[in-house]
């Protein structure tokens, strides 16, 4: 008889097709973001996002952010002395939130819809001064 005390299924990460990720429904509720039923971001990560934003904005200039999520780090980046904030977001529902954020942000925001792996060539080499990538696990989350 096995003495395992857990169910293997709990530890399986659902493989997600990145192109599918773009159109999966995003649900924002009480400081949490789920995409396609997957937990993606929660507001208890705020202090970590604040520190990442401080580091990524350390050179001022242009900051590139991969993934908008709840926009926590994006808000902190906007509190720094920067010239421009480029944000790449793959999910179409999250991108709607990003566009709203861009309209009200104190510093210029350039929102780009797509997987960063696909859209990065549209950003000229050596044109950014800091990068913030807070995506977890893989390029799927
Ligand atoms: C962990 S959240 C980002 C959290 C964000 N820093 C915050 O403070 O709320 C990850 C975000 O990256 C997006 N994302 C995941 N993979 C991506 C990719 N390959 N390209 C662009 N966006 C991606 C997700 O849709 C999600 O909105």
């Amino acid at each position: 008889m096995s003495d395992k005390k857990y169910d293997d299924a709990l530890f399986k990460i659902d493989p997600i097709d990145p192109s599918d990720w773009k159109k999966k429904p995003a649900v924002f509720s009480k400081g949490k973001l789920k995409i396609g039923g997957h937990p993606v971001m929660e507001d208890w990560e705020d202090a970590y996002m604040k520190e990442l934003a401080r580091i990524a904005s350390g050179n001022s200039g242009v900051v590139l952010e991969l993934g908008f999520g709840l926009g926590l780090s994006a808000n902190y980046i906007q509190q720094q002395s920067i010239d421009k904030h480029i944000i790449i977001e793959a999910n179409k529902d999250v991108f709607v939130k990003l566009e709203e954020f861009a309209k009200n942000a104190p510093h210029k925001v350039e929102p780009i819809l797509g997987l960063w792996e696909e859209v990065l060539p549209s950003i000229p080499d050596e044109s950014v001064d800091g990068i913030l990538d807070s995506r977890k696990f893989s390029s799927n989350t």
Side-chain angles (χ1 to χ4, degrees):
M1 198 176 95
S2 165
D3 58 357
K4 250 203 284 185
K5 296 186 175 54
Y6 57 84
D7 179 345
D8 284 338
L10 287 174
F11 297 90
K12 281 192 186 138
I13 294 178
D14 201 6
I16 303 165
D17 174 356
S19 54
D20 210 27
W21 188 257
K22 297 177 186 176
K23 49 185 192 294
K24 284 204 179 285
V27 177
F28 293 82
S29 66
K30 294 184 194 149
K32 295 182 184 187
L33 166 62
K34 284 188 176 186
I35 299 180
H38 292 263
V40 169
M41 188 63 192
E42 299 192 359
D43 60 5
W44 58 264
E45 297 171 86
D46 186 85
Y48 176 47
M49 294 301 130
K50 185 176 186 179
E51 185 61 6
L52 291 182
R54 187 189 65 76
I55 295 166
S57 310
N59 295 329
S60 301
V62 179
V63 180
L64 170 63
E65 186 164 18
L66 308 181
F68 182 67
L70 290 173
L72 304 178
S73 50
N75 268 301
Y76 288 120
I77 288 171
Q78 285 290 323
Q79 290 169 24
Q80 307 291 323
S81 170
I82 60 162
D83 297 328
K84 190 164 86 163
H85 187 181
I86 303 170
I87 309 177
I88 302 173
E89 172 56 50
N91 180 267
K92 63 171 180 37
D93 290 345
V94 178
F95 190 75
V96 171
K97 299 275 184 189
L98 167 53
E99 286 184 306
E100 286 166 20
F101 173 84
K103 278 186 209 149
N104 302 310
H107 299 289
K108 182 176 167 54
V109 177
E110 183 182 334
I112 303 177
L113 177 62
L115 293 164
W116 73 264
E117 297 90 329
E118 293 171 350
V119 301
L120 204 61
S122 69
I123 299 172
D125 286 350
E126 301 189 27
S127 64
V128 303
D129 301 287
I131 300 176
L132 194 159
D133 180 4
S134 60
R135 294 161 317 118
K136 292 162 280 187
F137 308 127
S138 71
S139 62
N140 293 335
T141 58

